[in-house]
Amino acid sequence: MNYKEAREYIKKASQYGIVPGLDNISNLCDKLGNPQNELDVIHIAGTNGKGSVGAFAEQILIESGKKVGRYVSPSVFDYLEQFRINAENMIEDRYAYYISRISEVADKMTPHPTPFEMETAAAFLYFKEEQCDVVLIEVGMGGREDATNIIPKSLVSVITPISMDHMKFLGNTLEEIAYQKSGIIKNNGLVVTAKQENCVMNVIENECCEKNARLIKADNVTEYEISLDGEYQRENAAVAEEVCRHIDGVSENDIKNGLINTVWHGRFEKICDKPEFIIDGAHNIDGVKRLKESIEKYYGNRKIVYITGVFADKAYKQIAEITAPLAQKIYTITPNNPRALSNEKYASAISEYNQNVEAVSFDTALKLCLNMTDCVVIAFGSLSFLGELKRKTDDIISMRKCNNILKNKNFRDILSKINSAEKDRIYCNHGIDHLLDVARSAYILNLENGLNIPKEIIYGTALLHDIGRYEQYKNGTNHHKAGGEIAKKILCECGFASDEIEYMVEAVRAHRKIPEKAETLGDIIAIADKRTRLCMMCNAIDTCKWSENEKNTDIVL
């Protein structure tokens, strides 16, 4: 299997449904050599804060010099972020390798393992074969019957705040939910719990008593400086602190450095300054209560605008009651998921607490909010749309510099002069249509060749690659050399960094040389420039001064 085939295999496995209990995952891992038995695991369950506690603990352990594996679910921004070692995602080839191995076993099993069971087995294999010192394993749902709970022992069982969520699967009371989540506690083990409701704490204490486990209550806030915003993160940091104090080789200085160096996306994370734009994964009652506290603390005197979407099986009416009164404007969207609550139904629920609500598409909400200047935009709810929102926002923000080029007076004046000089031409024009054609073609070449050059760098360079044409027409100078000097001035005025400018100017100067293959920015601009010419349609093709290598005589797919 390659990566694409492995991903498709996992998706198709969804047809087998959910198999309750640990028998299936135990059978699968047994056939794979029980890799989970050789791992030193910190096991994390809870309703809210699992990801943040795990992120803090991960960085603290990395600071101590350990090789740290981490398995989380679900992914938000990148599928492979579920499998990490020292904060680096598993590479595609390794994922394909492990899923191929697992499929050979899984396809002979009845019932067939679920996607989560196979992903969990892949994580166990990965961390074992990479010889991780410590592995942070986050429960998928619940704990007692979660696939991750086949580990025979743990260094620490961690329980973050428990509240009402996934009631269809875990129970309709806090006590029932707490019973499921406290199932990760091991005989004679160590347990660290966050602050809990009294009824929840009673369940945890009873489980510890039955299993002779030592219980530590981390019900305070950290005194150290932390990197993550959100008042609740100080509580999460305190839990991670306490956990890591019971791991050999971790110093107080490691804890201090780890807390200030932690990165965890999607949790009260600022993704834009103009407007100030926050994303947060709050999607249940306890989560939105914490979000409300943070909004009131950090933005109590600001105009608040929401983008929000949730799943239909969440307590959306209570979520609306808690959050809606804080906002001046609310846009509801429908997450791209079969479990999604429709934006219209969500807007109807919100309207009981705030009449200034509008059901719109995802793209409309994002466009409207990014054009605002006098407010704080807060997107929250289902994690399933926050990843896409962040990617699109990053893309739009990065492309603003290219928009600055289009608005730049010097650029527009020169382009107008080029258009006037070429007014009698049918083909080989160097106006905005050509520039954008080159930009799009170059971006496709970038993707095809895996160059990973940022989109705004490609588009910015393409827009300026022929900016020296007027100097050529006026003075007979080399247009790409003249273009380099002009491009440098324009790029400086449009917000590009000095290293970006140097890189782009070099490509402008080099784009006339057609390479054999695409390896650099200059290469893809040169190839795109050739591909977008319509020489095969030009009546002057036989008398054109361009060399045969420079002419585009075929459609290139």
Side-chain angles (χ1 to χ4, degrees):
M1 286 185 189
N2 58 31
Y3 177 69
K4 183 178 179 180
E5 292 167 339
R7 288 291 308 276
E8 190 61 32
Y9 176 82
I10 290 294
K11 288 177 183 177
K12 285 184 178 179
S14 299
Q15 67 182 300
Y16 301 113
I18 295 175
V19 181
L22 301 180
D23 291 344
N24 218 35
I25 181 67
S26 297
N27 189 17
L28 175 61
C29 285
D30 184 59
K31 295 177 185 299
L32 295 169
N34 286 312
Q36 76 281 359
N37 293 352
E38 300 180 45
L39 302 176
D40 286 327
V41 174
I42 296 172
H43 202 188
I44 307 173
T47 305
N48 293 299
K50 296 189 297 293
S52 296
V53 169
F56 282 126
E58 175 186 44
Q59 190 59 41
I60 291 169
L61 294 169
I62 290 172
E63 296 286 344
S64 74
K66 298 184 186 304
K67 188 173 187 178
V68 185
R70 187 172 175 213
Y71 177 53
V72 302
S73 178
S75 58
V76 180
F77 302 105
D78 184 320
Y79 175 79
L80 291 177
E81 72 187 24
Q82 294 178 98
F83 318 89
R84 289 154 57 101
I85 293 178
N86 282 6
E88 294 289 334
N89 295 355
M90 182 194 288
I91 63 172
E92 292 182 356
D93 287 350
R94 292 300 298 277
Y95 176 81
Y97 166 71
Y98 288 119
I99 297 304
S100 294
R101 282 176 60 183
I102 290 167
S103 71
E104 294 174 3
V105 171
D107 289 344
K108 298 175 184 177
M109 291 175 58
T110 303
H112 194 285
T114 66
F116 184 67
E117 288 170 337
M118 291 188 285
E119 289 167 339
T120 300
F124 290 152
L125 286 170
Y126 181 44
F127 299 142
K128 175 200 167 184
E129 294 181 6
E130 287 295 317
Q131 300 181 329
C132 291
D133 299 314
V134 182
V135 175
L136 294 150
I137 300 288
E138 186 179 309
V139 164
M141 183 174 65
R144 192 172 295 273
E145 295 189 344
D146 186 78
T148 64
N149 204 30
I150 63 161
I151 58 170
K153 63 185 187 305
S154 62
L155 298 173
V156 189
S157 297
V158 186
I159 303 178
T160 65
I162 292 174
S163 62
M164 301 298 288
D165 201 8
H166 298 298
M167 286 84 81
K168 180 179 177 181
F169 302 99
L170 303 180
N172 293 315
T173 68
L174 278 175
E175 290 88 347
E176 289 174 334
I177 294 171
Y179 172 76
Q180 291 297 329
K181 294 183 183 294
S182 64
I184 69 167
I185 295 171
K186 304 302 181 188
N187 291 324
N188 304 308
L190 174 64
V191 181
V192 174
T193 180
K195 185 178 180 180
Q196 306 284 0
E197 297 283 349
N198 289 337
C199 63
V200 170
M201 192 63 78
N202 289 338
V203 174
I204 294 172
E205 289 174 344
N206 288 338
E207 190 78 22
C208 287
C209 186
E210 289 180 10
K211 294 182 176 176
N212 193 35
R214 179 188 173 198
L215 177 62
I216 298 173
K217 299 176 183 179
D219 54 5
N220 56 339
V221 298
T222 184
E223 296 181 358
Y224 289 125
E225 185 179 355
I226 65 173
S227 59
L228 304 185
D229 290 329
E231 187 61 18
Y232 58 89
Q233 294 293 9
R234 303 196 66 78
E235 298 174 17
N236 291 331
V239 175
E241 234 179 270
E242 193 60 51
V243 169
C244 291
R245 287 196 176 101
H246 293 85
I247 304 299
D248 290 341
V250 178
S251 69
E252 204 65 23
N253 200 48
D254 295 329
I255 292 172
K256 180 180 179 181
N257 291 335
L259 294 181
I260 194 60
N261 291 328
T262 296
V263 175
W264 188 230
H265 297 298
R267 277 69 177 180
F268 211 76
E269 177 189 6
K270 183 189 289 189
I271 60 172
C272 180
D273 290 317
K274 295 180 181 179
E276 198 160 355
F277 200 139
I278 306 294
I279 59 173
D280 191 275
H283 60 275
N284 53 44
I285 293 172
D286 190 56
V288 296
K289 284 180 179 177
R290 300 299 185 93
L291 174 61
K292 178 185 177 183
E293 291 172 4
S294 295
I295 293 171
E296 290 174 334
K297 176 174 180 178
Y298 296 106
Y299 302 112
N301 297 319
R302 299 285 300 279
K303 177 183 175 182
I304 304 296
V305 176
Y306 291 156
I307 300 176
T308 180
V310 295
F311 289 168
D313 56 5
K314 300 299 179 182
Y316 62 89
K317 292 181 180 179
Q318 293 96 316
I319 290 172
E321 182 179 3
I322 294 165
T323 58
L326 297 180
Q328 281 68 53
K329 180 69 179 181
I330 302 173
Y331 296 107
T332 59
I333 60 100
T334 305
N336 184 21
N337 190 287
R339 293 166 54 199
L341 179 71
S342 76
N343 56 359
E344 294 286 352
K345 192 169 183 178
Y346 194 18
S348 177
I350 289 172
S351 66
E352 295 185 27
Y353 309 99
N354 189 326
Q355 290 292 315
N356 202 7
V357 58
E358 186 177 352
V360 297
S361 69
F362 174 88
D363 288 336
T364 297
L366 185 57
K367 182 178 179 179
L368 289 169
C369 287
L370 285 176
N371 285 329
M372 295 177 178
T373 57
D374 60 342
C375 66
V376 178
V377 178
I378 299 177
F380 70 93
S382 169
L383 292 171
S384 67
F385 83 87
L386 292 183
E388 183 183 2
L389 185 144
K390 187 175 188 296
R391 283 190 293 272
K392 286 196 172 183
T393 301
D394 288 345
D395 194 27
I396 291 169
I397 291 169
S398 65
M399 291 299 285
R400 283 177 174 172
K401 291 183 286 189
C402 294
N403 287 329
N404 291 342
I405 294 175
L406 296 176
K407 297 174 186 176
N408 183 271
K409 185 178 184 304
N410 196 15
F411 173 79
R412 294 173 76 96
D413 287 347
I414 295 173
L415 199 61
S416 177
K417 292 175 181 177
I418 293 172
N419 288 336
S420 295
E422 298 177 345
K423 63 183 179 181
D424 294 327
R425 292 189 181 189
I426 299 175
Y427 302 110
C428 292
N429 298 95
H430 299 91
I432 192 63
D433 289 342
H434 168 68
L435 303 181
L436 289 174
D437 282 345
V438 172
R440 296 183 190 105
S441 182
Y443 187 64
I444 291 170
L445 284 162
N446 174 58
L447 297 176
E448 288 176 345
N449 291 278
L451 300 183
N452 297 317
I453 301 171
K455 187 175 183 180
E456 70 273 17
I457 300 297
I458 294 171
Y459 269 68
T461 306
L463 288 173
L464 294 169
H465 81 283
D466 272 334
I467 200 69
R469 285 284 176 186
Y470 183 67
E471 289 299 314
Q472 177 186 2
Y473 299 151
K474 184 175 69 172
N475 302 317
T477 56
N478 185 302
H479 90 273
H480 52 284
K481 290 183 179 179
E485 295 305 312
I486 300 169
K488 185 174 183 179
K489 294 176 183 178
I490 292 174
L491 291 169
C492 287
E493 296 171 0
C494 294
F496 288 87
S498 57
D499 58 332
E500 293 174 330
I501 294 171
E502 183 178 349
Y503 182 47
M504 295 164 77
V505 167
E506 180 184 351
V508 170
R509 289 173 175 155
H511 85 271
R512 287 292 291 153
K513 183 179 179 181
I514 308 295
E516 292 185 4
K517 59 181 179 177
E519 296 180 329
T520 68
L521 175 61
D523 291 344
I524 61 174
I525 296 296
I527 296 171
D529 195 21
K530 175 180 177 179
R531 284 189 182 182
T532 54
R533 294 172 192 154
L534 295 173
C535 302
M536 75 287 284
M537 303 293 294
C538 183
N539 293 330
I541 187 170
D542 295 328
T543 57
C544 177
K545 63 182 179 59
W546 281 346
S547 68
E548 291 303 312
N549 183 50
E550 291 176 308
K551 294 175 184 176
N552 184 32
T553 57
D554 299 294
I555 295 176
V556 180
L557 299 178

